[in-house]
Amino acid sequence: MSMFTEEWMNKYSEAWNKEPGLADALKQINFNSVIGYGLDGDATPIGYIDVQDGQVVDSGAYDGQELNWDLRATQANWDKWTKKPLGMMGLGMAYTTKKLKFNVGDYGAMIKDPRMAGPFIKSFGLFGKI
């Protein structure tokens, strides 16, 4: 199953909602965002999730949704992070070396807020479970 396709995004959203350190942690801060995932250089993301109060309420193939976050990387990097999820140091390195790009969203604000940074790291850990 290819990453970020409709089927993949639906499985990812199920895993997200079952992950207490992710969904529950984000619910505590009333986290609401539409997050796109895709390949660096593409005009639009491939897939998206819509998170309301920490829970994914909608997901699938990207179809023009307004995004709060748009995460991009090469397929090789997404594949690598599926096998070995990013930790805090790896995330910082991926961002500073532009292996992970935020086409939309404020990486600096997110990473400085431990209430968001921890769950963000956990979201990468789910990639290998799909």
Side-chain angles (χ1 to χ4, degrees):
M1 174 180 6
S2 297
M3 257 182 131
F4 310 132
T5 61
E6 179 128 9
E7 181 183 6
W8 193 96
M9 294 308 299
N10 291 333
K11 289 185 183 303
Y12 182 66
S13 66
E14 289 171 20
W16 176 296
N17 288 340
K18 291 177 186 171
E19 180 63 46
L22 186 53
D24 292 349
L26 291 174
K27 182 178 180 153
Q28 292 175 8
I29 61 169
N30 303 105
F31 181 83
N32 302 309
S33 283
V34 178
I35 306 168
Y37 299 87
L39 299 177
D40 188 24
D42 284 359
T44 62
I46 300 167
Y48 80 97
I49 57 174
D50 182 349
V51 181
Q52 299 299 316
D53 283 325
Q55 292 281 315
V56 177
V57 297
D58 192 25
S59 63
Y62 179 75
D63 189 25
Q65 292 81 359
E66 187 172 333
L67 301 171
N68 303 99
W69 301 90
D70 183 355
L71 308 178
R72 304 297 186 92
T74 64
Q75 187 65 58
N77 281 324
W78 286 125
D79 291 344
K80 180 171 65 173
W81 299 328
T82 296
K83 293 176 184 75
K84 186 175 190 274
L86 289 171
M88 195 61 79
M89 291 290 288
L91 175 62
M93 287 300 295
Y95 177 73
T96 57
T97 60
K98 299 197 183 322
K99 290 181 178 175
L100 176 63
K101 294 181 180 175
F102 288 68
N103 286 2
V104 177
D106 186 349
Y107 171 82
M110 179 273 299
I111 205 68
K112 290 177 186 162
D113 185 343
R115 299 171 311 159
M116 286 178 59
F120 184 73
I121 295 295
K122 280 203 178 293
S123 75
F124 275 84
L126 295 178
F127 290 170
K129 297 179 180 181
I130 308 305

